[in-house]
Amino acid sequence: MLITPDPDPAFCLVTFSWAEPAGPPVDDVLVRLIALTDHAQDDGRLEPFLLDRQPDGVWSGTLRLPADLRTSYQLCPVRHGSLREGPIDDERWSAVMTAGLADPANPAILPAGCTFGNQGPASVLELPAAPPQPGWRRRLGTPTGRVTRHALGSSSVHVYQAPGAEVDAPLVVLFDGVRWLSLDVTTMLDNFVADGLLEPVVVLLVDTIGGARRYHGLTRPWLFSPLVDDLIPFVEDGWKVTRDPARTVVAGQSLGGLLSTHLARTRPERFGAVLGQSCSFWWPGTEEVGELIGEAEIEAVETGPRTRFHLTAGLHERDLLTGNRRMRDALSAHDLTYREYQGGHDFACWRGDLADGLLTLLPK
């Protein structure tokens, strides 16, 4: 991968290349930039993201991209027919995504399990004007927190206790805990605490809810409510954390952000701050009566309890971005920090925003 300046400083030219290994012949190679290429598939316009085979057999191509873009991506070798022949159906698109590989020329990696449609690792493209993401590299000599795993009925959680976290420590409840642990979120927490930027905290990382599929656990009150009822006394008794809602943050991405908003609205005596990333305020629900619905949360928050919010959304999230802007407007009477970034529905972007949100909502 090669990044070069564009005549317009608002853009960069990025050249991707891939050496085809021995084996069955490849008909195309697609650069799948999370959000950008996915939307191009929705629009039936994948060709700009296809590499060309060069005379030496290497596939390569150049894209003109915003200079402040951060995105995860994969290189997808395509067999059994070219993608240049016109739009493809969902089944073919699923097969293309599944074939995606991390870029061997790029050492920046997003771990396996963090990319929609593909369970393997992805690469991370960070262009020069992308917002910095300090604190995510482990440093020798930095004191490390303690992480323990616990089962609560059919749910599972991890608990991180920062060095120096004592009685009345701030509490963060963070959904999608296993993914955040794979991203080494504890390194960021350790560094911020060591640098005096963040008070020693206890973070409750929720892995699974009621043994259910992710979207069921995050949207169905009869699954998440019993867990929350158990979690709070569990962490209060075991780690003596604060009971002050102003020092308790509930944090989530996508549907986890929708649930975080709901919990702060319905349990203000315990959750006084929301860190929401690419929240699914577009979510229409399913046929299950009582399931969370994004529109209902937007309407309810205007007259709900006053809560502190830190919300972010990507400029390449389409309907989700529209929903977040509507929620931003509905929160005019609340203490709100709102930011849009050049990127998509992507842990590569959420890493930095999680850190920023914690520093905003838990100022030392």
Side-chain angles (χ1 to χ4, degrees), residues 207-231:
D207 305 331
T208 60
I209 299 176
R213 296 175 64 181
R214 178 181 179 273
Y215 86 88
H216 288 164
L218 293 173
T219 60
R220 298 180 175 181
W222 55 95
L223 292 173
F224 64 69
S225 291
L227 174 61
V228 174
D229 291 338
D230 290 341
L231 280 178

Side-chain angles (χ1 to χ4, degrees), residues 93-128:
W93 175 238
S94 178
V96 170
M97 289 192 293
T98 301
L101 304 168
D103 184 350
N106 184 352
I109 292 291
L110 204 64
C114 294
T115 303
F116 175 77
N118 184 296
Q119 290 304 304
S123 298
V124 179
L125 173 65
E126 297 176 310
L127 294 185

Side-chain angles (χ1 to χ4, degrees), residues 32-43 93 97 116:
R32 185 194 171 200
L33 304 177
I34 299 306
L36 278 77
T37 309
D38 296 357
H39 291 324
Q41 155 61 13
D42 294 339
D43 298 339
W93 175 238
M97 289 192 293
F116 175 77

Side-chain angles (χ1 to χ4, degrees), residues 279 281-282 298 318-328 338:
C279 300
F281 298 127
W282 66 272
I298 294 174
R318 292 196 171 180
D319 290 347
L320 186 145
L321 177 60
T322 300
N324 275 264
R325 288 173 173 173
R326 292 193 60 239
M327 178 59 87
R328 173 201 61 193
Y338 178 84

Side-chain angles (χ1 to χ4, degrees), residues 272-307:
V274 174
L275 199 168
Q277 300 176 276
S278 300
C279 300
S280 294
F281 298 127
W282 66 272
W283 179 251
T286 63
E287 295 180 357
E288 288 284 350
V289 176
E291 192 176 66
L292 295 189
I293 296 174
E295 183 65 31
E297 292 301 320
I298 294 174
E299 293 175 358
V301 78
E302 293 190 70
T303 56
R306 295 297 173 256
T307 304

Side-chain angles (χ1 to χ4, degrees), residues 130-142:
Q133 293 185 342
W136 287 86
R137 295 184 183 276
R138 186 157 295 281
R139 304 181 313 216
L140 288 176
T142 299

Side-chain angles (χ1 to χ4, degrees), residues 28-105:
D28 269 321
V29 178
L30 177 75
V31 180
R32 185 194 171 200
L33 304 177
I34 299 306
L36 278 77
T37 309
D38 296 357
H39 291 324
Q41 155 61 13
D42 294 339
D43 298 339
R45 296 186 293 104
L46 284 176
E47 190 157 352
F49 298 92
L50 293 173
L51 303 183
D52 295 314
R53 191 197 301 266
Q54 305 304 319
D56 60 1
V58 173
W59 293 80
S60 67
T62 300
L63 292 172
R64 184 173 183 260
L65 299 170
D68 54 348
L69 175 69
R70 176 180 281 110
T71 181
S72 58
Y73 73 96
Q74 293 176 321
L75 302 177
C76 304
V78 178
R79 296 180 172 88
H80 310 299
S82 172
L83 298 182
R84 302 171 196 266
E85 298 169 357
I88 60 175
D89 60 21
D90 290 345
E91 183 178 359
R92 182 94 195 275
W93 175 238
S94 178
V96 170
M97 289 192 293
T98 301
L101 304 168
D103 184 350

